Amino acid sequence: MGFAFTIAIRFLREGRFQSLLIIVGVAAGVAVVTYVSALIDGLQGNTIRRTLGTQAHIVVKPFEEKSVPSLVARPGELVARDIQPRAQRPRSIDNWRSLATEIAATPGIVAVTPIASGAGLAIRGEASRSVAMIGIELDGYDRIVSLREKIIKGVARVAPGEAMIGQQLAEDLGVSIGERIVLRTGGDAADTFTVSAIFDLGNRDLNRRNVYITLKSAQSLFNIPGGATNIYATVTELFSADQTAALLKQRTGADIESWMESNAQLLSALDAQTISTRLIRGFTTLVAMLGIASVLVVSVVQKRKEIGILRAMGATRAQMTRVFLMQGGIVGLVGSVLGVVLAKLLLWAFSMFVLGSDGKPLFMTELPLDLAVIVTLVATLCGVLAAAAPARSVAKLDPAQAIRI
């Protein structure tokens, strides 16, 4: 191997310009693959975090109320009727406490909390806005959506007679911490609440719509004493939520939905991004391999006499084959290391200079160590594979003919 390495380095030095070009080409290809992979992974992770930042992984809902026909047609009879769907109202999940206990005992479930929610109006003076009133137990709910981290004013607290509202709703109503608003439901039940905190969920619509109060206050407003309209749960493995939801649905018979069902279009978009990234990786790797192979083929033609002399001096076919395989490996290794460094610089520039409307970075992304190692190893292996064809042609050279040319 020492002989092969020495000759490979010498051949690369003698063709400096060609070697430099192919190393730069490999570095550019590796940089593109690494940068795009890390960027897409960061984008997908950021998108999922933003999407799931305000919702649970698994949601248990009460069954919808359905209209039942008063007259059932007998065999051979026709009945003229018009069945209208029933308007849905806030309803409690049957036996929700035991159901929540069973869900919490399921392997893979991290946190479970009850919710009592419904539509209503937030009123202050002449200003009123349509809102979603959400009754929560703050400690349990915080384990689901990390609500405390999103407080920008006041103290995260939902005591009796207190409410937490979003930034946009506070601006619409013209209220601040310590001031009062009236929350009224569609059934004309109303109560007065003091604003204890203002939050920013990262979504203007949610900031304008969500109002958090105590679970008991919501139960009273929606006339479901002791009830819960939903049960929220989170899982350890994010992308196993649909399997866990299906298992719970089969076991309990409840109406259970995972975040993957409610965000099916988002998952389709993420799958399309993943496929595009794989195509970019594949074509970029192919181009880099063809570049290495073409340079080494030219090197075989240019070094025919040197190869013939080395063979005449006793170098075996296996040794000469290893020389060119070593060249491919060296080019792949050096190019991949430079490409990883370049990708890291590009990711740093993206995080620093690509800003959102608020003047902050869109999202912070870094180059994972495992990705850098995998790309380097794959690029080095591709360099060796690209050198396989030139190495085989070297092994077939007749030393006497090579020297005469």
Side-chain angles (χ1 to χ4, degrees):
M1 295 300 293
F3 170 81
F5 180 78
T6 302
I7 300 301
I9 292 294
R10 182 168 297 179
F11 281 178
L12 289 173
R13 284 179 178 175
E14 290 178 359
R16 288 183 181 88
F17 185 70
Q18 291 178 349
S19 301
L20 179 62
L21 282 180
I22 191 57
I23 287 175
V24 170
V26 172
V30 169
V32 169
V33 170
T34 308
Y35 173 74
V36 170
S37 299
L39 189 63
I40 293 299
D41 289 344
L43 175 62
Q44 291 182 348
N46 180 71
T47 302
I48 291 174
R49 281 193 301 272
R50 286 181 176 272
T51 301
L52 299 183
T54 56
Q55 63 178 281
H57 298 165
I58 293 176
V59 178
V60 183
K61 303 179 293 182
F63 289 103
E64 292 185 0
E65 293 182 302
K66 296 183 178 180
S67 299
V68 180
S70 57
L71 183 61
V72 179
R74 300 175 186 176
E77 293 182 344
L78 294 177
V79 177
R81 61 191 175 202
D82 182 15
I83 302 176
Q84 295 182 345
R86 298 184 63 177
Q88 302 299 310
R89 55 187 175 84
R91 291 184 302 111
S92 177
I93 299 172
D94 295 335
N95 202 18
W96 69 266
R97 294 185 186 276
S98 61
L99 181 58
T101 301
E102 185 174 356
I103 293 173
T106 303
I109 296 294
V110 177
V112 177
T113 188
I115 302 294
S117 63
L121 290 175
I123 304 170
R124 182 178 184 265
E126 296 182 355
S128 65
R129 292 292 184 273
S130 176
V131 296
M133 290 177 277
I134 305 173
I136 62 173
E137 295 174 347
L138 182 57
D139 290 338
Y141 190 80
D142 187 63
R143 295 183 64 192
I144 303 289
V145 299
S146 302
L147 186 59
R148 286 189 173 97
E149 296 179 359
K150 300 174 175 65
I151 301 300
I152 57 175
K153 290 182 182 179
V155 180
R157 185 177 64 239
V158 281
E162 292 184 334
M164 297 192 298
I165 66 175
Q167 185 178 13
Q168 272 64 46
L169 180 60
E171 294 174 358
D172 292 345
L173 298 179
V175 297
S176 187
I177 303 300
E179 298 181 344
R180 295 185 175 185
I181 61 174
V182 175
L183 296 180
R184 176 173 295 166
T185 67
D188 290 333
D191 202 351
T192 302
F193 294 84
T194 301
V195 177
S196 62
I198 296 175
F199 56 79
D200 181 9
L201 299 179
N203 184 302
R204 296 178 68 89
D205 290 336
L206 294 179
N207 288 343
R208 183 167 279 118
R209 185 171 71 242
N210 286 9
V211 175
Y212 295 103
I213 56 180
T214 64
L215 182 63
K216 289 185 177 180
S217 297
Q219 291 169 343
S220 175
L221 285 171
F222 295 115
N223 194 27
I224 48 171
T229 59
N230 297 106
I231 299 174
Y232 284 2
T234 56
V235 295
T236 52
E237 295 294 334
L238 189 63
F239 288 96
S240 68
D242 56 341
Q243 299 175 1
T244 304
L247 176 64
L248 288 171
K249 191 172 184 177
Q250 181 181 9
R251 182 188 303 169
T252 64
D255 186 4
I256 301 176
E257 184 178 69
S258 72
W259 75 270
M260 301 173 76
E261 295 178 69
S262 57
N263 296 278
Q265 292 183 344
L266 171 63
L267 286 177
S268 298
L270 295 180
D271 288 341
Q273 284 184 339
T274 301
I275 293 173
S276 300
T277 304
R278 289 175 180 172
L279 289 175
I280 293 172
R281 289 175 184 170
F283 283 113
T284 305
T285 301
L286 179 61
V287 170
M289 289 180 66
L290 291 175
I292 295 174
S294 62
V295 168
L296 293 182
V297 167
V298 172
S299 179
V300 171
V301 176
Q302 293 177 338
K303 306 296 183 185
R304 288 177 71 91
K305 286 189 176 182
E306 289 87 342
I307 295 169
I309 293 172
L310 289 171
R311 288 293 312 282
M313 293 174 62
T316 64
R317 290 184 176 182
Q319 286 179 318
M320 296 310 302
T321 299
R322 285 198 293 270
V323 167
F324 280 83
L325 292 177
M326 188 70 70
Q327 285 189 75
I330 292 171
V331 169
L333 178 61
V334 175
S336 62
V337 171
L338 293 176
V340 167
V341 173
L342 179 58
K344 191 171 181 63
L345 291 175
L346 291 173
L347 290 171
W348 173 83
F350 178 87
S351 299
M352 291 296 103
F353 301 110
V354 180
L355 307 177
S357 57
D358 56 357
K360 298 180 181 179
L362 286 178
F363 59 91
M364 300 298 294
T365 180
E366 296 181 355
L367 179 59
L369 179 60
D370 56 345
L371 176 61
V373 172
I374 290 173
V375 169
T376 301
L377 293 177
V378 170
T380 304
L381 178 61
C382 288
V384 175
L385 294 177
R392 289 185 61 186
S393 65
V394 167
K396 295 178 181 179
L397 279 178
D398 185 356
Q401 293 181 355
I403 293 174
R404 284 200 300 269
I405 294 176

